[in-house]
Amino acid sequence: MRIVCPFCGERELGEFTYLGDAKPVRPEAGASEDEVFDYVYLRDNVAGQTSEYWYHGGGCRAWLKVTRNTLTHEISSVEPAAGAGATKVGA
Amino acid sequence: MVDFSWVPRSPLEKALVTGAHGARGIEAGVSLTEIRNFDLVQVMARRGKAAELAKAAKARFGVAAPNAPKAILASDATLICSGPDQFFVLSKGGKHTMPTLVPALSGPASLSDQSHARVLISISGARARTILAKLSSIDLHATAFPIGAAAATSMDHTSVTLWRGRDRPDGKAVFNLLVFATFAESLWHTMLDAAAEYGVDISHSEELG
């Protein structure tokens, strides 16, 4: 699998580290215990399109949000995660 | 009271033995040259200040700072992209050091002196691409990696900044590599092992390529 880093271009998988599911959104302060439990522990085991965080530690050290198909490993989009080189997003 | 000596020494001082290494009786296919005594400052844009930094850098260096994986040659410095919204300023002779760059760039950027934190190695010769291909997954073919192309990548699990400098007078491509000082000796030995079969010419220099 190769990932096209928006800053570096296409690089081999070895330069990247998988962080995890990019779907869960941190609950607001005051959220119920169930909501926090869901956010911390519960993950979908998706067969198909998923959204994941990857870290380009072997390259530009940017955090990336990758949309990937778990059945085919096809990557449909790679974008900087919020806060990572954010000035370049959409520029 | 212990007297300290603050004379800068190369992290490759022990590992680097000038002269011929590896295969003998053939013309050296690879030249490995450590460049010593350079000034290196890392410039990282503060959040949301990338456009302002670009303007300040243009005013300071006379050329636009890289906003893509490139090394830009200014008249007295090389600006090398090291990641999104950040670049290195590589120079010689005290022209671009912390005291001179901070007034110009510290508004929109954080600066960090890396002069003694990195080792700069120049790799050239007829087999330079061949040995780099053993260590790197980057396509270094002339069409894919022209003069001025740069990459933040890994070699032998070590973080490096690699860029292609001006060709040698004999037309051979020159690749420059910045590596963290503490990893330099290990990577140096790895490069020697990779290059030994082609014959290696080892030297050090005070001149930036």
Side-chain angles (χ1 to χ4, degrees):
Chain A
M1 201 164 83
R2 294 167 78 82
I3 297 177
V4 182
C5 171
F7 304 111
C8 300
E10 190 175 340
R11 296 293 179 85
E12 52 138 352
L13 186 62
E15 290 196 2
F16 300 87
T17 311
Y18 174 74
L19 177 77
D21 196 336
K23 280 268 167 53
V25 178
R26 189 184 181 89
E28 297 292 329
S32 71
E33 197 174 317
D34 281 352
E35 284 172 309
V36 174
F37 180 86
D38 190 341
Y39 168 69
V40 174
Y41 294 109
L42 300 186
R43 294 291 178 268
D44 296 331
N45 186 13
V46 178
Q49 292 276 91
T50 65
S51 181
E52 304 167 332
Y53 285 123
W54 287 79
Y55 175 57
H56 194 190
C60 63
R61 302 175 301 282
W63 290 93
L64 307 174
K65 199 170 172 182
V66 174
T67 308
R68 186 175 70 92
N69 189 313
T70 55
L71 298 174
T72 62
H73 293 316
E74 188 186 2
I75 290 172
S76 51
S77 88
V78 185
E79 56 190 63
T87 50
K88 290 220 178 64
V89 181
Chain B
M1 183 79 186
V2 180
D3 284 329
F4 288 103
S5 162
W6 297 111
V7 178
R9 300 192 333 189
S10 163
L12 291 182
E13 198 178 61
K14 290 202 181 78
L16 188 152
V17 180
T18 56
H21 177 89
R24 302 294 168 100
I26 55 169
E27 195 185 338
V30 180
S31 295
L32 289 180
T33 309
E34 189 207 354
I35 314 293
R36 292 180 176 169
N37 297 330
F38 52 84
D39 298 313
L40 185 71
V41 177
Q42 183 149 39
V43 181
M44 305 174 89
R46 298 185 194 280
R47 194 177 295 274
K49 297 282 177 90
E52 201 183 311
L53 172 62
K55 209 178 287 177
K58 182 90 195 282
R60 169 76 197 189
F61 302 107
V63 294
N67 60 358
K70 282 188 167 40
I72 312 265
L73 294 166
S75 60
D76 56 1
T78 306
L79 310 181
I80 308 139
C81 180
S82 59
D85 298 338
Q86 54 177 276
F87 59 91
F88 285 118
V89 180
L90 173 67
S91 63
K92 288 280 298 181
K95 290 188 205 81
H96 301 288
T97 56
M98 287 295 278
T100 66
L101 285 180
V102 161
L105 302 177
S106 66
S110 306
L111 278 71
S112 160
D113 191 344
Q114 300 293 319
S115 305
H116 300 145
R118 311 283 168 127
V119 168
L120 176 55
I121 300 168
S122 161
I123 304 131
S124 64
R127 306 307 292 269
R129 280 193 182 85
T130 319
I131 85 129
L132 287 170
K134 293 186 186 182
L135 307 170
S136 165
S137 61
I138 304 269
D139 183 356
L140 298 176
H141 188 273
T143 54
F145 205 78
I147 291 171
T153 184
S154 300
M155 281 186 185
D156 196 36
H157 306 283
T158 301
S159 223
V160 298
T161 303
L162 178 75
W163 75 100
R164 190 168 155 205
R166 290 191 192 92
D167 285 349
R168 290 197 322 203
D170 66 2
K172 298 283 191 299
V174 175
F175 298 92
N176 295 298
L177 188 141
L178 278 173
V179 55
F180 286 110
T182 45
F183 293 107
E185 192 169 326
S186 150
L187 189 61
W188 179 262
H189 286 304
T190 304
M191 285 202 291
L192 283 191
D193 288 347
E197 62 176 307
Y198 312 119
V200 193
D201 180 32
I202 296 171
S203 61
H204 56 82
S205 165
E206 301 282 320
E207 300 295 319
L208 289 181

